[in-house]
Amino acid sequence: MTQSPLNPGDSPLVREALSSVVSRETAPSAPVAASIGYTSGMSEGDWPRPPRRRIITIANQKGGVGKTTTAVNLAAGLSMHGQRVLVVDLDPQGNASTALSVEHRGDIPSVYQVLVEDLPLKEIVSPVPDMPNLYCAPATIGLAGAEIELVSLVAREARLKRALEAYDANELDYILIDCPPSLGLLTVNAMVAAEEVMIPIQCEYYALEGVSQLLQNVELVRVHLNQVLRVSTILLTMYDGRTRLASQVADEVRSHFGDTVLNTVIPRSVRVSEAPSYGQSVLTYDAGSSGAMAYMDAARELAFRGATVAGS
Ligand code: ADP
Ligand code: MG
């Protein structure tokens, strides 16, 4: 855990990008930080609110790349800095709902009823416990059936978009949509409803597998269904500094996607994987951990980028 994430052969770009991870690995824990007056992202005030509400779909048809973890922790980080955030859980597994401690037993109304039965979104949105400014629209397992049931419905690709439009979202700054690991109708609904796509890419073997297909789908949706859609953000996740592979993947992703990739890289951190079982984000579970600090930095980058690029 204490080993440097940098390898001697890393390119200058990767070294620069990852230097913040190095400093984070050696950052003091939260109680120690407080006692010595160490300043991390947690102690800042509010971040600038976007000129217009941002709707960001977090998609990658590969499972286990960090979509849900990213949705939950970015949402938590943004909300802790004065942003009003709604997480829409679009995965029948309901992992985002679990991590945010929002009820999603099979028998409660969820995104399923919103998409298939036209239930107003406001009927299912719940405040996240102990997190002012943060809300969640939960998913239940019944949503698995929606992929098929949507096929025969009118405007089947635009059901979520319509639900969001009908929702009084003036109160919100961000809507983050957590997608299932597929490119089916649920993910298409998420892409039609959003202006931005964020792609988490795991710094592992086959990281880029499927990404070109994902980009093709984004392009198809843009051409046929939603002209304003663009891939605005790529986030490197689960970076393991002990492996050369991770830095090679990071390098490759940056050379492909340039500025779209956030400078912040999310390290692999046990705390990140533990937090959901306590119904918490890692930011509340262990604010001083490397994973929490990285997600806070990523949220800050997202907020400050949005302050300049939104509407462009
Ligand atoms: P997806 O939503 O893309 O399927 P998840 O966010 O659920 O992916 O992540 C898959 C698994 O990896 C989960 O068990 C999660 O807790 C774990 N995980 C995600 N990010 C990290 C990280 N930075 N460090 C350690 N474990 C992580
Ligand atoms: Mg998930």
Side-chain angles (χ1 to χ4, degrees), residues 232-281:
S232 67
T233 316
I234 290 174
L235 178 62
L236 294 165
T237 63
M238 294 187 233
Y239 184 89
D240 183 346
R242 293 165 302 185
T243 69
R244 273 199 61 68
L245 176 68
S247 68
Q248 284 164 356
V249 170
D251 213 358
E252 197 178 334
V253 171
R254 286 189 192 282
S255 69
H256 263 82
F257 296 104
D259 287 348
T260 309
V261 188
L262 291 185
N263 292 325
T264 307
V265 173
I266 308 299
R268 195 172 267 290
S269 146
V270 177
R271 294 305 206 202
V272 171
S273 56
E274 286 172 353
S277 57
Y278 296 89
Q280 289 196 41
S281 72

Side-chain angles (χ1 to χ4, degrees), residues 197-214:
V197 177
M198 170 184 285
I199 306 177
I201 294 183
Q202 189 185 4
C203 298
E204 286 290 349
Y205 270 124
Y206 307 124
L208 292 172
E209 188 190 60
V211 170
S212 61
Q213 196 192 352
L214 174 58

Side-chain angles (χ1 to χ4, degrees), residues 9-310:
D10 286 341
S11 73
L13 193 63
V14 171
R15 295 188 75 83
E16 187 193 344
L18 299 178
S19 57
S20 57
V21 178
V22 179
S23 59
R24 243 176 255 120
E25 290 293 340
T26 53
S29 67
V32 175
S35 68
I36 61 173
Y38 177 84
T39 318
S40 77
M42 316 295 171
S43 57
E44 296 168 28
D46 288 353
W47 295 337
R49 292 175 45 200
R52 245 170 8 97
R53 184 196 64 233
R54 294 173 71 186
I55 306 182
I56 306 174
T57 279
I58 301 176
N60 188 330
Q61 74 275 30
K62 273 185 82 166
V65 300
K67 289 181 291 297
T68 301
T69 305
T70 295
V72 165
N73 290 302
L74 291 183
L78 289 165
S79 76
M80 289 162 87
H81 287 278
Q83 314 293 312
R84 296 159 308 180
V85 188
L86 170 66
V87 174
V88 177
D89 189 351
L90 217 54
D91 185 345
Q93 300 290 327
N95 293 338
S97 312
T98 304
L100 293 170
S101 264
V102 169
E103 188 66 72
H104 64 108
R105 292 187 326 264
D107 54 346
I108 65 154
S110 76
V111 172
Y112 172 85
Q113 280 78 9
V114 172
L115 294 180
V116 177
E117 297 170 3
D118 289 322
L119 185 71
L121 188 62
K122 70 173 186 318
E123 306 283 328
I124 67 155
V125 168
S126 292
V128 173
D130 304 323
M131 297 290 286
N133 300 327
L134 185 53
Y135 301 85
C136 175
T140 52
I141 193 69
L143 191 56
E147 288 277 9
I148 293 161
E149 289 171 62
L150 280 170
V151 172
S152 59
L153 297 181
V154 175
R156 60 192 177 184
E157 299 97 349
R159 312 284 296 186
L160 182 62
K161 181 185 174 69
R162 292 201 320 198
L164 290 178
E165 280 170 356
Y167 184 73
D168 181 11
N170 287 333
E171 295 298 308
L172 294 173
D173 299 307
Y174 289 85
I175 299 176
L176 303 185
I177 307 172
D178 183 29
C179 287
S182 75
L183 291 171
L185 267 175
L186 288 172
T187 297
V188 171
N189 262 270
M191 288 183 184
V192 171
E195 287 113 40
E196 300 179 48
V197 177
M198 170 184 285
I199 306 177
I201 294 183
Q202 189 185 4
C203 298
E204 286 290 349
Y205 270 124
Y206 307 124
L208 292 172
E209 188 190 60
V211 170
S212 61
Q213 196 192 352
L214 174 58
L215 295 176
Q216 276 169 26
N217 277 47
V218 172
E219 184 58 14
L220 280 173
V221 170
R222 194 186 65 74
V223 169
H224 296 287
L225 298 163
N226 179 13
Q227 287 180 358
V228 299
L229 188 68
R230 68 197 165 94
V231 176
S232 67
T233 316
I234 290 174
L235 178 62
L236 294 165
T237 63
M238 294 187 233
Y239 184 89
D240 183 346
R242 293 165 302 185
T243 69
R244 273 199 61 68
L245 176 68
S247 68
Q248 284 164 356
V249 170
D251 213 358
E252 197 178 334
V253 171
R254 286 189 192 282
S255 69
H256 263 82
F257 296 104
D259 287 348
T260 309
V261 188
L262 291 185
N263 292 325
T264 307
V265 173
I266 308 299
R268 195 172 267 290
S269 146
V270 177
R271 294 305 206 202
V272 171
S273 56
E274 286 172 353
S277 57
Y278 296 89
Q280 289 196 41
S281 72
V282 71
L283 303 180
T284 49
Y285 175 65
D286 186 353
S289 64
S290 60
M293 289 186 173
Y295 267 115
M296 191 58 98
D297 285 348
R300 183 187 299 106
E301 261 194 78
L302 188 69
F304 279 86
R305 283 186 174 201
T308 52
V309 301

